[in-house]
Amino acid sequence: MLELIRQDPVVFAIVIGLVGLCVGSFLNVVIYRLPVMMERDWKIQSAEFLEMPDVLSERDRQPYNLNTPNSTCPSCHQSIKPWQNIPVLSYLLLGGRCANCKQSISKRYPLIEGLTALLSVLVAWHFGYGLQTMFALILLWSLIALSLIDIDHHLLPDSITLPLIWTGLFVSLFDVFTDTRSAVIGAIAGYLCLWSVYMAFKLLTGKEGMGFGDFKLLSAFGAWFGWKVLPVIIFLSSAIGAVIGVTMIIFFKRSRETPIPFGPYLAGAGLLALFWGDQLVNWYLGRF
């Protein structure tokens, strides 16, 4: 079976697609629970620092992580059985409703599972059987989680961005996407690029234009792909963000003062660099 997976790209893509469905289901948990876990940790740490443990509610004291407690329906709080948690299939079999209270289940869950599977298949098809696919999937899955968390909470958790930086540097030791020298320079330059923009904007306006998580995410891309791809990622993410931002202001009457998360645009540009980084670098070097 392993030999068939290795030799037949179609079989390999199908297997990776099924794995992607399962990972997408897990990412739904990460996207929902990780910000809650962080908020609880902040409360506990603040209470300990201020020596005010009494301010913590009973709910804050209960164990809460990616594994505990079991998943429940947000409406009736009934535990979700394993057969009700099969990626996409359970949603279709249940008609998009809770088996107990019949309340609608958000379409977001199967969409994330399906998107993760689809992009995983594209990665497998593009890179084929090997180290590039394995590490590219890790990057892809991390970016999906980061993008959705940033959309929901305007937050890029250190527990994801920092391991991405170190993983990118580790991967460079094997020249999977770039060499170690380019990766180290890229990690440093990626952070300093956006940090410099942030500081300049703050000095000129007195406002914070972006969060530190954006610096770390660009630093991670520098570690994964090398410093040469950073201008491409910055240009693409800024262009996409500007188009979407102007569209939301004009057609959806969104206030100009409403903050827009930059992480999803960085992630999208990073995915383009993952698939076509060398071509994009050659293009802009040829132009400029």
Side-chain angles (χ1 to χ4, degrees), residues 23-122:
V23 172
S25 180
F26 174 70
L27 291 182
N28 278 321
V29 177
V30 174
I31 292 163
Y32 178 79
R33 293 196 180 196
L34 184 56
V36 178
M37 291 163 54
M38 295 173 65
E39 182 180 354
R40 291 193 177 197
D41 286 342
W42 294 335
K43 287 182 179 179
I44 293 171
Q45 292 170 11
S46 298
E48 290 176 350
F49 178 77
L50 297 172
E51 298 181 351
M52 299 174 61
D54 294 339
V55 302
L56 297 174
S57 66
E58 186 62 30
R59 182 180 180 184
D60 291 331
R61 301 174 191 272
Q62 297 297 318
Y64 191 89
N65 50 52
L66 298 180
N67 186 54
T68 303
N70 294 331
S71 297
T72 60
C73 171
S75 299
C76 66
H77 304 293
Q78 179 72 26
S79 294
I80 298 175
K81 297 178 175 59
W83 70 268
Q84 298 169 344
N85 210 22
I86 303 172
V88 178
L89 183 60
S90 290
Y91 181 88
L92 297 175
L93 292 176
L94 292 170
R97 297 183 178 277
C98 172
N100 183 59
C101 66
K102 305 305 179 183
Q103 285 292 320
S104 296
I105 301 171
S106 174
K107 295 182 178 65
R108 173 171 169 167
Y109 298 120
L111 287 176
I112 291 175
E113 293 164 354
L115 176 65
T116 304
L118 175 61
L119 292 177
S120 298
V121 169
L122 292 178

Side-chain angles (χ1 to χ4, degrees), residues 256-274:
R256 296 185 180 184
E257 301 300 321
T258 303
I260 298 175
F262 192 50
Y265 309 132
L266 274 176
L271 283 181
L272 292 176
L274 173 65

Side-chain angles (χ1 to χ4, degrees), residues 14-270:
I14 292 173
V15 171
I16 293 299
L18 295 175
V19 173
L21 281 174
C22 297
V23 172
S25 180
F26 174 70
L27 291 182
N28 278 321
V29 177
V30 174
I31 292 163
Y32 178 79
R33 293 196 180 196
L34 184 56
V36 178
M37 291 163 54
M38 295 173 65
E39 182 180 354
R40 291 193 177 197
D41 286 342
W42 294 335
K43 287 182 179 179
I44 293 171
Q45 292 170 11
S46 298
E48 290 176 350
F49 178 77
L50 297 172
E51 298 181 351
M52 299 174 61
D54 294 339
V55 302
L56 297 174
S57 66
E58 186 62 30
R59 182 180 180 184
D60 291 331
R61 301 174 191 272
Q62 297 297 318
Y64 191 89
N65 50 52
L66 298 180
N67 186 54
T68 303
N70 294 331
S71 297
T72 60
C73 171
S75 299
C76 66
H77 304 293
Q78 179 72 26
S79 294
I80 298 175
K81 297 178 175 59
W83 70 268
Q84 298 169 344
N85 210 22
I86 303 172
V88 178
L89 183 60
S90 290
Y91 181 88
L92 297 175
L93 292 176
L94 292 170
R97 297 183 178 277
C98 172
N100 183 59
C101 66
K102 305 305 179 183
Q103 285 292 320
S104 296
I105 301 171
S106 174
K107 295 182 178 65
R108 173 171 169 167
Y109 298 120
L111 287 176
I112 291 175
E113 293 164 354
L115 176 65
T116 304
L118 175 61
L119 292 177
S120 298
V121 169
L122 292 178
V123 166
W125 192 263
H126 183 81
F127 292 106
Y129 187 91
L131 278 179
Q132 281 191 320
T133 292
M134 183 179 73
F135 286 112
L137 288 174
I138 293 173
L139 177 62
L140 167 67
W141 298 335
S142 300
L143 292 179
I144 292 173
L146 285 171
S147 297
L148 271 296
I149 291 174
D150 202 22
I151 290 172
D152 290 343
H153 303 279
H154 292 196
L155 179 71
L156 294 172
D158 285 351
S159 55
I160 300 179
T161 55
L162 294 182
L164 274 184
I165 295 174
W166 291 110
T167 303
L169 293 174
F170 172 75
V171 170
S172 72
L173 295 174
F174 308 99
D175 293 336
V176 177
F177 297 105
T178 189
D179 61 274
T180 303
R181 184 174 183 274
S182 295
V184 173
I185 296 174
I188 297 171
Y191 190 92
L192 290 179
C193 280
L194 291 187
W195 179 84
S196 301
V197 173
Y198 163 86
M199 289 303 299
F201 185 82
K202 188 174 182 180
L203 289 173
L204 290 173
T205 66
K207 300 178 181 179
E208 296 183 355
M210 62 182 65
F212 280 62
D214 298 321
F215 315 161
K216 297 164 191 171
L217 182 54
L218 187 60
S219 176
F221 287 140
W224 279 77
F225 306 128
W227 63 270
K228 290 182 180 180
V229 79
L230 291 177
V232 172
I233 293 177
I234 293 173
F235 171 76
L236 289 175
S237 58
S238 300
I240 296 170
V243 170
I244 294 178
V246 170
T247 301
M248 295 181 70
I249 291 173
I250 295 177
F251 295 101
F252 297 94
K253 308 303 180 183
R254 185 165 182 169
S255 171
R256 296 185 180 184
E257 301 300 321
T258 303
I260 298 175
F262 192 50
Y265 309 132
L266 274 176

